[in-house]
Amino acid sequence: MTSLLSFTPSTPSIYLPTFSNVRHHHRLSSTTLLISYPHPLPRVHVLYRTPHAPPRPSLSASALRAAADGLLQDAGATAFVLAGQAPTASSSLLFDNLTQRNLLQQSLSRKLVHILSGLLFMLSWPIFSTSTAARYFASVVPLVNCLRLLLHGLSIVTNEGLVKSVTREGNPKELLRGPLYYVLILILCALAFWRESPVGVVSLAMMCGGDGVADIMGRKFGSIKIPYNQKKSWAGSISMFLFGFVISIGMLYYYSFLGYFQLNWVETVEKVALISLVATIVESLPITDVLDDNISVPLVSMAAAYLSFSL
């Protein structure tokens, strides 16, 4: 017996197999199903493809040009600061010349170098580019002076003018203490905080401006000593608080005006006043023989500024 099974699809675009010639053979115990397909076979359209890896971005000519311009700007800024604004470089030579002509006392010359060299270095930061490498180029300036201090402090190279300008007693070994700590703090603030953070700005302002003016005013008007430290005077401590506060506010305004950070000035004045007070108290303590002011003052200012501006 032969039966025919056929199915015609309702949608002409879909092809289904036609079942025909279903036969029962007496010699087979099972039924054989013969399936015939229409010709030609339907095309199979692939709707999904394995995604390919995105192409790697390539540096454009403008990006390469901008990077090259940044490197040239930073190299030029480094050379400029080394030539005219580096700590213990041109400023120390100028004050040494005035000292030799008896137009300036050696102690005053040393403190003017202490005040101006660090502040001028910090004021020069905006001339560097906006690249991430800019802070490293700027750090070359105090690094070069660090090497100079090591060479002269170890008497490998002699320079009487440098020694007289930045030491108390004219001993080259003094270069390995306070002046060396000074340039190391400059490197630390440039690398760790740079111009985007008020922490480094305030720390350098207190070390360079506050502590430097405190020594000058203390020598001139420091007849009344602090009870717990006869080496420090009320005039020096008050001057440190006032000048450290004023110079810090001035430097913060300078960087805020240039757009490196925005500050709430009411809160900023309060925070800087607190930082100045803490730094002044630490500077007045009788610990100079154990811990140099060029270490204690900036590190304490750094910690106080970090806590104040992060809260």
Side-chain angles (χ1 to χ4, degrees), residues 54 118-119 131 160 199 215 231 236 275:
L119 294 181
S131 69
E160 294 183 1
V199 175
D215 186 80
K231 293 182 179 180
I275 297 167

Side-chain angles (χ1 to χ4, degrees), residues 280-300:
T280 300
I281 293 174
V282 171
E283 193 271 343
S284 69
L285 297 176
I287 58 175
T288 306
D289 296 334
V290 179
L291 191 61
D292 192 275
D293 288 344
N294 288 338
I295 297 179
S296 61
V297 170
L299 291 184
V300 168

Side-chain angles (χ1 to χ4, degrees), residues 181-259:
Y181 304 148
Y182 182 93
V183 295
L184 290 176
I185 292 296
L186 295 182
I187 295 174
L188 174 62
C189 288
L191 292 178
F193 302 106
W194 195 220
R195 57 198 174 196
E196 287 84 9
S197 172
V199 175
V201 174
V202 173
S203 301
L204 291 184
M206 292 304 303
M207 180 184 73
C208 302
D211 184 47
V213 175
D215 186 80
I216 295 174
M217 301 302 289
R219 290 177 182 274
K220 190 172 183 63
F221 306 105
S223 56
I224 304 177
K225 304 298 181 180
I226 297 178
Y228 54 84
N229 187 0
Q230 293 299 307
K231 293 182 179 180
K232 304 289 183 177
S233 65
W234 284 107
S237 293
I238 293 173
S239 299
M240 176 168 180
F241 174 82
L242 292 177
F243 281 89
F245 172 81
V246 171
I247 294 174
S248 295
I249 292 295
M251 296 302 295
L252 289 175
Y253 180 81
Y254 171 69
Y255 280 99
S256 176
F257 177 78
L258 294 177

Side-chain angles (χ1 to χ4, degrees), residues 13 23 53 59 63 80 94 109 137 193-194 211 284 311:
S13 60
R23 300 176 182 177
L59 292 176
F80 174 76
L94 172 63
S109 171
F137 275 91
F193 302 106
W194 195 220
D211 184 47
S284 69
L311 296 178

Side-chain angles (χ1 to χ4, degrees), residues 20-36:
S20 62
N21 300 324
V22 181
R23 300 176 182 177
H24 295 277
H25 296 276
H26 63 279
R27 295 181 179 180
L28 301 176
S29 60
S30 58
T31 303
T32 301
L33 179 63
L34 302 179
I35 302 175
S36 61

Side-chain angles (χ1 to χ4, degrees), residues 32-48:
T32 301
L33 179 63
L34 302 179
I35 302 175
S36 61
Y37 291 90
H39 299 281
L41 292 175
R43 294 182 178 180
V44 178
H45 298 279
V46 179
L47 300 180
Y48 175 81

Side-chain angles (χ1 to χ4, degrees), residues 74 77-91 112-128 134-146 181-195 200-201 203-205 207-209 251 254-255 258 260:
D74 291 333
T78 302
F80 174 76
V81 178
L82 278 172
Q85 299 181 355
T88 69
S90 60
S91 56
L112 288 177
V113 172
H114 177 98
I115 295 169
L116 295 179
S117 58
L119 294 181
L120 290 175
F121 171 64
M122 184 165 51
L123 285 170
S124 71
W125 289 354
I127 70 175
F128 290 85
R135 67 180 67 198
Y136 300 103
F137 275 91
S139 300
V140 171
V141 177
L143 178 61
V144 169
N145 289 280
C146 178
Y181 304 148
Y182 182 93
V183 295
L184 290 176
I185 292 296
L186 295 182
I187 295 174
L188 174 62
C189 288
L191 292 178
F193 302 106
W194 195 220
R195 57 198 174 196
V201 174
S203 301
L204 291 184
M207 180 184 73
C208 302
M251 296 302 295
Y254 171 69
Y255 280 99
L258 294 177
Y260 290 104

Side-chain angles (χ1 to χ4, degrees), residues 74-184:
D74 291 333
T78 302
F80 174 76
V81 178
L82 278 172
Q85 299 181 355
T88 69
S90 60
S91 56
S92 64
L93 296 177
L94 172 63
F95 295 132
D96 178 59
N97 188 22
L98 295 176
T99 301
Q100 291 179 352
R101 296 182 180 184
N102 295 323
L103 299 176
L104 197 67
Q105 295 181 355
Q106 182 177 348
S107 60
L108 181 58
S109 171
R110 179 175 59 84
K111 279 303 171 182
L112 288 177
V113 172
H114 177 98
I115 295 169
L116 295 179
S117 58
L119 294 181
L120 290 175
F121 171 64
M122 184 165 51
L123 285 170
S124 71
W125 289 354
I127 70 175
F128 290 85
S129 73
T130 57
S131 69
T132 55
R135 67 180 67 198
Y136 300 103
F137 275 91
S139 300
V140 171
V141 177
L143 178 61
V144 169
N145 289 280
C146 178
L147 297 176
R148 293 178 67 235
L149 292 173
L150 289 173
L151 291 174
H152 291 87
L154 297 173
S155 298
I156 299 175
V157 179
T158 58
N159 186 334
E160 294 183 1
L162 174 65
V163 174
K164 289 181 180 179
S165 297
V166 298
T167 61
R168 294 176 183 269
E169 301 175 358
N171 187 348
K173 292 184 179 180
E174 291 184 58
L175 298 175
L176 303 177
R177 295 193 291 271
L180 182 61
Y181 304 148
Y182 182 93
V183 295
L184 290 176

